Amino acid sequence: MIEAIVHGLHGLLAGFLHMSLPNVLMIGGGLLLLYLGIKKGFEPLLFVPIGFGAVLVNIPLGGLMEEGGILRTFYDAGVMTEIFPLLIFVGIGAMTDFGPLLENPKLLLLGAAGQFGIFLTLLLALALGFSKLDAVSIGIIGACDGPTAIYVSSQYAPHLLGAVSVAAYSYMSLVPIIQPPIMKFLTTHEERTIKMGVVRSSVSRTTKILFPILTTIIAGLIAPMGVPLIGMIMLGNLMRECGAVSRLTKASENEIANVVTLLLGITIGATMEGHAFLKPQTLVVFGLGFVAICLDTVAGVAFGKLMKVFTRGRINPLIGAAGISAYPMAARVAQIEGQKYNRKNYLLMHAMGANTGGQIGSVMAAAVMLSVLKGMGNI
Amino acid sequence: MDNLTFGLSLIVVGMGGTLLSLYILTLLMNLLKKFFPYGKENENKEKSREEHRDD
């Protein structure tokens, strides 16, 4: 009987006995994400489930990510099949108003410039010795778009999924800190004070309905590998604009997006198991992700300056920084920075146009990159 | 294909392709605005409302 009691007690101590330093460190990492999400308000909808997922998976013998484990089941069913990021895209489309962009279509080009970071970072990652597909997954952090980063890395570098997604969401939440110094450094005082005209809501409903349909067809024909990405975001937007399926629109932007965000977050967190995550490679991924966001901002502002020249001073280059996918944070940063130098300057709607352009731009950049990779025979 | 050639090719074709495809989408937006202008659609709505009132 004593032997049975000893065995029983051993069972209760097994968790402690199997605890290793990487697990302890990653539980600390998970708690840090929880702190950032709860206390600091950094992307709480994602950091809370990701942080908790990281804590869960680092408790030894829990078996959550082993075959048949609950988080492994969610991961296999939702992340590896790409269902989760694509459902998030439907929600993003349903929440996004492309009106400011349709009002001023040339702002979409700022959304293209904001993707330069993806390709330059990819080159840097290759130079640092990462394999081609790993470099593609790291470069995609520069899309500043969590679901796109997850979509690409889950397909082509699943071993980097945790690092890539946490880096993407971390830097998205740090946009208000990362961008302003770069914006200030690259623009003159005169440029920052440029006032842009008032945006009038003068886009017809037919245009708003046809835009997502035709964009899906055209973008799909140009980059067929990106049809799932562009198709889902545009489906969500079509539902929003047509007004005929308000129940589906509301479900997409609320219930579906919320459930999927929870499951996606916790499964991403579950990829952060100490022994697999704590590698020098992870730090390099984080470093390159930071470079990617900085390069996006540099390219966006530089393109904004170019547009200022071509429009004879009617574009404030600050809105170029909003040409990334971090919506609506990047637009707010442009507005705040603009008002610092000219209190009567209202850049928000223009920046929103560039920001929604950045959303389309990031998806399009990923789609083009995947199609080019397929064309080159790499995937 | 070595890594440098791969990276540079992807920058040229990838970034060029992204810029080109987004430029095509700006053309699409301009065309849509031209064929379905806001004012005309609103005028039509106003007219139909007035017709209903007359009825």
Side-chain angles (χ1 to χ4, degrees), chain A residues 103-266:
Chain A
E103 171 65 29
N104 195 356
K106 61 178 174 288
L107 294 179
L108 187 58
L109 295 176
L110 290 172
Q115 312 311 319
F116 260 106
I118 297 177
F119 297 96
L120 295 174
T121 309
L122 186 151
L123 197 61
L124 272 177
L126 286 170
L128 288 172
F130 282 94
S131 72
K132 288 171 184 167
L133 293 182
D134 283 3
V136 167
S137 302
I138 294 167
I140 210 73
I141 299 173
C144 234
D145 187 336
T148 304
I150 293 166
Y151 180 86
V152 174
S153 53
S154 63
Q155 275 190 80
Y156 304 114
H159 57 286
L160 292 179
L161 179 63
V164 167
S165 11
V166 172
Y169 282 113
S170 305
Y171 294 133
M172 273 168 70
S173 66
L174 292 175
V175 157
I177 297 166
I178 296 171
Q179 285 199 321
I182 301 172
M183 293 159 83
K184 192 176 175 187
F185 180 72
L186 291 175
T187 51
T188 63
H189 186 272
E190 185 204 343
E191 285 172 336
R192 292 193 289 268
T193 53
I194 292 173
K195 275 181 82 173
M196 292 180 69
V198 179
V199 177
R200 287 160 294 131
S201 177
S202 55
V203 179
S204 68
R205 187 164 169 259
T206 312
T207 300
K208 285 187 169 184
I209 292 173
L210 287 176
F211 174 67
I213 299 172
L214 295 176
T215 297
T216 305
I217 296 169
I218 293 171
L221 287 172
I222 296 172
M225 289 291 285
V227 170
L229 292 170
I230 199 89
M232 290 298 117
I233 199 167
M234 289 302 159
L235 168 66
N237 191 253
L238 173 66
M239 293 195 302
R240 171 199 169 95
E241 297 301 345
C242 75
V245 284
S246 56
R247 278 171 53 190
L248 296 185
T249 312
K250 280 178 189 159
S252 302
E253 61 185 350
N254 295 304
E255 292 87 352
I256 295 174
N258 290 342
V259 171
V260 176
T261 302
L262 170 65
L263 295 179
L264 184 65
I266 202 163

Side-chain angles (χ1 to χ4, degrees), chain A residues 102-103 105 108 112 116 119-120 122-123 126 130 132 201-207 210-211 214-215 218 222 360-361 364-365 368 372-373 376 378, chain B residues 1-11 13-15 17-30 32-33 36-38 41 45:
Chain A
L102 286 161
E103 171 65 29
L108 187 58
F116 260 106
F119 297 96
L120 295 174
L122 186 151
L123 197 61
L126 286 170
F130 282 94
K132 288 171 184 167
S201 177
S202 55
V203 179
S204 68
R205 187 164 169 259
T206 312
T207 300
L210 287 176
F211 174 67
L214 295 176
T215 297
I218 293 171
I222 296 172
I360 297 177
M364 216 44 233
V368 167
V372 173
L373 282 172
M376 287 176 168
N378 285 287
Chain B
M1 190 188 292
D2 68 289
N3 278 359
L4 183 68
T5 315
F6 169 78
L8 291 175
S9 316
L10 207 56
I11 285 184
V13 188
M15 199 58 230
T18 305
L19 267 168
L20 180 70
S21 47
L22 292 184
Y23 178 69
I24 293 170
L25 291 182
T26 60
L27 294 180
L28 167 74
M29 284 190 258
N30 282 321
L32 282 172
K33 282 172 68 179
F36 306 102
Y38 177 73
E41 200 168 89
K45 273 185 192 169

Side-chain angles (χ1 to χ4, degrees), chain A residues 318-329:
Chain A
L318 289 180
I319 66 164
I324 56 173
S325 186
Y327 179 85
M329 239 176 301

